[in-house]
Amino acid sequence: MQPFALPEFYMPYPARLNPHLEGAREHSKAWAYTMDMIDVPQHGTVIWDEHDFDSHDYALLCAYTHPDAGATELDLVTDWYVWVFYFDDHFLELFKRTGDIDSARAYLDRIALFMPVTGEITETAENPVERGLEDLWNRTVPHRSEGWRRRFVESTRNLLDESLWELANINEGRVSNPIEYIEMRRKVGGAPWSANLIEHSVHAEVPDTIAASRPMEVLRDCFADAVHLRNDLFSYQREVEDEGELSNGVLVFEKFLGCTTQEAADAVNDLLTSRLHQFEHTALTEVPALFDEHGVDLSGRAETFAYVKGLQDWQSGGHEWHLRSSRYMNEGALDTRGGPELLGGPTGLGTSAARIFSSLVSTAPQRLRAFSHQPFESVGPIVRPDIYMPYDLRLSPHLDAARENLATWCHSMGLIDGIVWDDHKMRAMDLPLCSAGIHPDASPDQLDLTSGWLAWGTYGDDYYPVVYGAGRNLPAAKLATERFKLFMPVDDDVPMPAPESPMEAALADLWQRTAGPMALDSRRAFRKSIVDMCESWLWELANQADNRIPDPIDYVEMRRKTFGSDLTMSLSRISHGRLVPPEIYRTRTIQAIEHSAMDYACLLNDVFSYKKEIQYEGELHNAVLVVRNFLDVDEQTALEIVNDLMTARMKEFQHAVEVGLPGLFSDYSLDEDVRRALSTYADELKDWMAGILNWHAGCARYTEEEIRRRPGVPEEPAGAVPGFSSGPTGLGTGALRISSILTAAR
């Protein structure tokens, strides 16, 4: 009996079947036999017999997902998929079922030797996985550029290496939280790997000038998330009930939301639909503008569109294969659900177009909700839940002096203009209070610098909506953002132009004080982090112009940028000197520490600022609103879910520090100095989170009196907000993360 009924899937594109299917079936079976993947025991266990191979029908998967590939290309792509599914089952039998993580790590280390970006393979294959990879690598890479090879190596290594994350969760009996799961599933799920094969099969490589841009990354991420979430729905019974797997989206939602399996499956399907909507929105609104911005020629545009079409084909074809493969739970999945097929339309292979109508109808309400929010809606009476904080607060003794120094600096830079800010508003933010909490050990000068960065980002937060948002003047906002780059020169011999606004003057001053002592590579990373944060403000303005509530995953990931997370990572590395090897910062453990701390702070801000942003500012970028819209629940429920997610991210942070760091030290044989530096970094993030919570909880910024007050309105002699209040919310809160480690670079 199936644990739940499969939901109605959003699939607006018909699946098409490659005419070379039968040839690929014959070729792939012969290839699998040659590689000893069928009927050959591995450590005493037969991974696949012939019936397993035939019933899984990987050739059908590839014929659906690569409908326009030629016969030779389809054979090659099918062999790649046979290999990757064999790896998955091979790893399951040898390591997941036994929990032997040490042997699993050695196994994965060897596989990497069969994927050299340049040069020949020098190792001798010892098992079917290695033999298959050696053959496939030699048949594929001669036809691809070095850039493609590097991307494919990275996605393949992620696919293999992150299997250890799944294994570690099984050994600990640990179910991840939704944000962690989506992030890690992209790597272990293999869809980015599939995206690279799409480029190969359609003979179209995305131009290097735009390959790493936000729109292309969003397309790849949406593609990956939709592929993985769909797979989770079909594979729940096999993975969770048979294999004891804990890395499944339905199980993750079931545990996090405390709901039934059917309700969790429906929520996963809603998220899948949202990701496909995001894919379409990005392809139609952001990619064409990207071409113009980077001057992509007609050939590059054609190859990019061929790639995007290939991603769409994969979604449709992958869905059709899941409906038919014996590998998955799909009983009744081909039953009619409404639409043209009820009139006697086709139901066999290649007739998925008949289901498009019901697919569009069933998912229309979700799409409409994203664009139908009424700005400035009244927020009802809600109760803020208790917030989980396991770390103690420490405050800098230099707080009082920093308050006066910041006031003097803001006046001198022209930030106190009487329109965006007046003196009361600046003091009511009490940015030095935030600095004193996140940098309790800072010197007076360092605390002043941190407060200055907070002020710059917060002023930008208030300035962009007032000056550009109200009039929907996105071109002017983009021009202003581009000009910021002129005041952050990487090379010392590049002069700055004369500032034309308070933001430019303040940025020029902060850049010289902060980046001046940095080495060239550190300065470049520092600059990119600030640019990323500023450009994320444009994303928010674009959503405001469309009155579009963001997709939940896109929101979380862009919220890190509006919060300045990239800057945090670069400056944190600088603050620890050259002690920590760069590759250590890219490990799963350090990424988990950084991202969970960042998400905790972002969600915390959204909980406190909800009424201010939704009722008084007409804002769309708040996690409580995003959850309300996505789950279609009331305000109080959404608030509690956001708080639960914030708690889950904090507990993930604790787990990564207490369990992950010691494991990282051991796995990489790190010396004592590096271990001390990373432990110190984790302690700094503990201070940072505790300081931000204290700042929000003790401020007056979110009271009715402060929310209603506008710059230029005289202060009331009685009942006015005394002294200082809290820090920024919304667009400019990225400055928090900018400054959170500035003073650590000492």
Side-chain angles (χ1 to χ4, degrees):
M1 180 179 177
Q2 293 187 170
F4 58 84
L6 287 169
E8 177 82 3
F9 291 90
Y10 175 66
M11 188 47 60
Y13 312 106
R16 297 180 296 119
L17 196 63
N18 192 300
H20 306 296
L21 168 60
E22 290 306 323
R25 278 178 172 150
E26 181 179 347
H27 168 86
S28 63
K29 181 186 281 191
W31 183 82
Y33 268 115
T34 301
M35 297 297 127
D36 292 338
M37 294 178 177
I38 301 176
D39 290 329
V40 178
Q42 302 296 311
H43 295 264
T45 301
V46 172
I47 307 301
W48 289 344
D49 59 25
E50 185 174 13
H51 173 74
D52 293 330
F53 183 88
D54 289 340
S55 61
H56 294 169
D57 207 350
Y58 301 116
L60 179 63
L61 166 66
C62 296
Y64 265 131
T65 55
H66 301 269
D68 299 319
T72 301
E73 290 302 315
L74 185 63
D75 287 348
L76 176 60
V77 169
T78 302
D79 290 347
W80 271 113
Y81 278 89
V82 169
W83 176 81
V84 80
F85 278 102
Y86 182 85
F87 161 80
D88 190 49
D89 290 349
H90 192 248
F91 192 87
L92 165 68
E93 294 297 336
L94 269 61
F95 307 114
K96 284 186 178 179
R97 292 199 190 278
T98 64
D100 188 354
I101 198 165
D102 291 333
S103 296
R105 187 174 289 110
Y107 168 91
L108 294 174
D109 287 342
R110 273 191 55 80
I111 292 178
L113 302 175
F114 296 88
M115 299 182 293
V117 174
T118 58
E120 302 294 324
I121 296 172
T122 59
E123 292 294 318
T124 300
E126 297 179 353
N127 58 55
V129 171
E130 294 177 358
R131 278 191 291 276
L133 181 56
E134 180 179 22
D135 177 76
L136 291 167
W137 194 255
N138 289 331
R139 290 163 57 195
T140 306
V141 297
H143 307 287
R144 300 266 65 89
S145 68
E146 184 174 328
W148 183 92
R149 277 178 270 160
R150 292 187 184 281
R151 294 199 301 274
F152 192 58
V153 167
E154 181 182 3
S155 59
T156 305
R157 290 193 61 139
N158 285 338
L159 168 65
L160 304 181
D161 292 348
E162 299 310 329
S163 298
L164 293 175
W165 172 73
E166 292 184 325
L167 179 55
N169 281 343
I170 291 173
N171 288 348
E172 296 178 28
R174 177 177 178 269
V175 178
S176 57
N177 62 73
I179 297 177
E180 176 192 10
Y181 176 75
I182 293 295
E183 191 168 67
M184 294 303 300
R185 187 71 163 93
R186 281 182 194 158
K187 296 180 179 181
V188 76
W193 178 86
S194 296
N196 289 324
L197 284 178
I198 289 170
E199 285 186 87
H200 177 76
S201 69
V202 300
H203 303 289
E205 292 191 24
V206 175
D208 287 341
T209 53
I210 64 171
S213 64
R214 168 188 146 77
M216 299 311 300
E217 287 182 350
V218 169
L219 289 180
R220 286 190 291 269
D221 289 346
C222 289
F223 167 78
D225 296 341
V227 167
H228 298 150
L229 292 169
R230 177 180 292 105
N231 179 265
D232 286 349
L233 286 160
F234 282 98
S235 64
Y236 177 90
Q237 189 171 40
R238 176 176 63 85
E239 291 183 342
V240 177
E241 296 185 353
D242 176 43
E243 300 174 0
E245 179 64 75
L246 298 179
S247 299
N248 182 287
V250 178
L251 181 65
V252 168
F253 271 61
E254 188 178 354
K255 298 300 183 183
F256 177 75
L257 294 175
C259 60
T260 66
T261 307
Q262 184 67 59
E263 290 169 334
D266 292 339
V268 167
N269 186 54
D270 286 344
L271 187 56
L272 189 165
T273 301
S274 182
R275 295 309 277 158
L276 291 176
H277 288 168
Q278 176 70 50
F279 181 97
E280 295 165 347
H281 182 82
T282 302
L284 293 173
T285 66
E286 296 188 51
V287 172
L290 188 68
F291 292 153
D292 295 336
E293 179 181 348
H294 292 272
V296 177
D297 60 23
L298 292 178
S299 175
R301 296 182 186 213
E303 292 202 35
T304 302
F305 281 130
Y307 169 68
V308 172
K309 180 177 179 295
L311 296 176
Q312 292 175 336
D313 286 337
W314 210 108
Q315 292 286 351
S316 302
H319 183 71
E320 286 299 305
W321 177 69
H322 277 84
L323 293 174
R324 292 171 168 84
S325 175
S326 68
R327 186 179 178 89
Y328 300 110
M329 179 189 84
N330 49 28
E331 181 182 347
L334 289 172
D335 294 346
T336 55
R337 295 177 180 275
E341 62 267 34
L342 288 179
L343 304 178
T347 59
L349 288 174
T351 58
S352 62
R355 294 189 297 274
I356 291 178
F357 178 79
S358 60
S359 165
L360 293 172
V361 170
S362 66
T363 57
Q366 180 179 344
R367 187 191 293 271
L368 292 174
R369 283 202 308 272
F371 291 91
S372 58
H373 176 69
Q374 293 297 320
F376 303 101
E377 69 173 2
S378 178
V379 172
I382 54 177
V383 178
R384 185 182 301 144
D386 292 335
I387 293 175
Y388 177 65
M389 169 51 68
Y391 304 118
D392 294 331
L393 171 72
R394 298 190 300 132
L395 284 176
S396 168
H398 310 299
L399 172 57
D400 289 339
R403 283 169 166 159
E404 294 308 315
N405 292 341
L406 180 65
T408 300
W409 182 81
C410 287
H411 278 281
S412 68
M413 292 294 112
L415 299 180
I416 310 303
D417 54 18
I419 299 174
V420 179
W421 278 7
D422 59 12
D423 188 74
H424 172 94
K425 186 178 182 71
M426 180 273 301
R427 291 180 179 273
M429 292 177 190
D430 201 3
L431 300 176
L433 176 62
C434 181
S435 302
I438 63 180
H439 280 150
D441 299 320
S443 69
D445 288 343
Q446 290 165 348
L447 200 63
D448 288 344
L449 186 59
T450 298
S451 299
W453 277 110
L454 285 171
W456 185 80
T458 305
Y459 184 86
D461 165 29
D462 292 344
Y463 183 89
Y464 268 60
V466 170
V467 175
Y468 305 122
R472 302 293 191 263
N473 195 349
L474 270 65
K478 185 173 180 59
L479 179 61
T481 304
E482 282 296 310
R483 275 187 56 84
F484 289 155
K485 298 176 184 178
L486 302 176
F487 300 92
M488 297 182 287
V490 175
D491 298 318
D492 291 329
D493 57 353
V494 176
M496 292 184 187
E500 296 181 357
S501 71
M503 286 199 74
E504 291 181 356
L507 178 59
D509 178 72
L510 291 169
W511 178 262
Q512 290 171 327
R513 291 160 57 195
T514 307
M518 290 181 177
L520 189 63
D521 58 341
S522 299
R523 192 180 298 176
R524 187 176 291 111
F526 179 41
R527 181 181 189 270
K528 181 181 184 302
S529 300
I530 299 172
V531 169
D532 286 347
M533 184 189 70
C534 295
E535 290 181 345
S536 71
W537 300 348
L538 301 177
W539 169 79
E540 293 192 315
L541 288 178
N543 283 334
Q544 290 287 157
D546 293 338
N547 193 43
R548 176 177 177 269
I549 298 175
D551 160 79
I553 296 175
D554 198 37
Y555 174 76
V556 169
E557 293 174 344
M558 287 302 293
R559 189 72 167 101
R560 294 173 187 167
K561 290 190 175 183
T562 62
F563 221 71
S565 60
D566 291 339
L567 182 58
T568 298
M569 284 184 275
S570 65
L571 287 178
S572 295
R573 294 166 189 168
I574 294 166
S575 71
H576 301 131
R578 303 291 180 178
L579 283 174
V580 182
E583 63 269 18
I584 297 299
Y585 285 107
R586 295 191 293 268
T587 60
R588 178 176 66 251
T589 298
I590 301 302
Q591 292 288 294
I593 289 172
E594 292 179 338
H595 289 177
S596 57
M598 175 57 57
D599 293 341
Y600 178 89
C602 295
L603 297 171
L604 169 68
N605 180 265
D606 287 352
V607 166
F608 275 87
S609 65
Y610 176 69
K611 184 168 186 176
K612 171 181 178 292
E613 292 182 340
I614 302 307
Q615 180 169 332
Y616 292 94
E617 298 175 357
E619 183 59 77
L620 299 173
H621 301 91
N622 185 289
V624 180
L625 179 64
V626 171
V627 169
R628 268 181 56 198
N629 174 72
F630 171 64
L631 294 178
D632 197 18
V633 295
D634 60 68
E635 289 177 322
Q636 186 66 45
T637 300
L639 186 68
E640 291 170 357
I641 290 173
V642 170
N643 185 58
D644 288 344
L645 188 56
M646 187 169 66
T647 301
R649 292 302 268 169
M650 175 61 83
K651 290 184 177 179
E652 182 189 345
F653 175 88
Q654 292 177 279
H655 180 270
V657 171
E658 296 167 7
V659 177
L661 269 186
L664 181 71
F665 297 161
S666 175
D667 292 345
Y668 287 84
S669 301
L670 300 178
D671 62 37
E672 191 58 37
D673 288 341
V674 176
R675 296 183 183 207
R676 187 180 303 109
L678 291 174
S679 297
T680 299
Y681 178 35
D683 289 340
E684 291 168 353
L685 291 178
K686 295 173 186 177
D687 285 333
W688 184 73
M689 290 186 287
I692 289 179
L693 175 58
N694 174 71
W695 167 56
H696 280 85
C699 76
R701 179 174 173 85
Y702 306 108
T703 64
E704 289 284 341
E705 294 82 3
E706 186 61 30
I707 291 172
R708 291 175 180 274
R709 188 187 178 281
R710 293 294 178 264
V713 177
E715 297 182 39
E716 300 177 12
V721 179
F724 296 83
S725 179
S726 81
T729 65
L731 289 170
T733 51
L736 274 179
R737 208 56 180 123
I738 291 178
S739 64
S740 66
I741 42 73
L742 278 171
T743 60
R746 55 186 182 270

